Amino acid sequence: MTDQIDLIDELKWRGLLYQCTDEAALRDHLAGGRRRIYAGFDPTASSLTIGNLVPMMVLRHVQRAGHEPIVLMGGGTGLIGDPSGKSAERQLMTRETVESNIVGQRPIFDAILGDSVTVVNNADWLSGLSYLDALRGIGKHFSVNMMMQKESVKSRLEDRDHGISYTEFSYMILQAFDFAYLNRAM
């Protein structure tokens, strides 16, 4: 039995809601029925860090409010590496390492969210994309000018010693595709 909570009030009280474009519309949306809310996790290690606890707890509050938390494992994006907060490019991991890390992390989600939590892996939809399909179907919707304004890109562009590779630069496109895919498929 879940103890129903008001999700917005709970997140505010805990300092977990920083900004909201239209709180009234969000409240109306959440009141309109059971919603699916996801958080993404990078499989960069066989376990999670304390930094992963915050989004996991948000998902737990989502669950307590009667909504469905979705754990999005970055089996595809983990092969690229998130440039956010990094001063140099991450070492690329093998597919086997990424998959092993996903397997190692799964019991942690089950322990916090229950073994019936929905866990999806973005490698399931990203791995099937051809390069041309990605450029034509996804890339055409992104402005390079906008992408260069992102802090994760801007700070790396200013660092002449390391810079940013096209691979890492494209990471945000994959994240956006995750959102579009999950919105369509779930």
Side-chain angles (χ1 to χ4, degrees), residues 98-155:
V98 170
E99 185 56 39
S100 175
N101 290 346
I102 289 172
V103 169
Q105 291 178 6
R106 176 62 195 249
I108 301 167
F109 297 110
D110 292 345
I112 292 177
L113 299 167
D115 59 5
S116 64
V117 66
T118 301
V119 178
V120 296
N121 181 345
N122 66 10
D124 293 343
W125 55 86
L126 293 176
S127 294
L129 283 176
S130 77
Y131 185 64
L132 289 176
D133 289 341
L135 288 176
R136 290 177 53 85
I138 305 167
K140 70 178 184 166
H141 298 287
F142 287 82
S143 160
V144 170
N145 293 348
M146 180 276 308
M147 292 170 70
M148 290 179 66
Q149 295 304 310
K150 299 292 182 185
E151 190 56 41
S152 61
V153 171
K154 204 166 24 170
S155 65

Side-chain angles (χ1 to χ4, degrees), residues 54-79:
V54 172
M56 288 174 58
M57 294 312 299
V58 169
L59 290 180
R60 181 66 183 109
H61 295 303
V62 162
Q63 197 174 46
R64 287 182 53 222
H67 301 292
E68 181 183 357
I70 307 290
V71 172
L72 172 60
M73 297 302 305
T77 48
L79 294 170

Side-chain angles (χ1 to χ4, degrees), residues 8 20-32 35:
I8 301 298
C20 183
T21 304
D22 187 344
E23 186 176 323
L26 179 57
R27 284 183 184 280
D28 287 346
H29 179 71
L30 292 172
R35 304 297 183 195

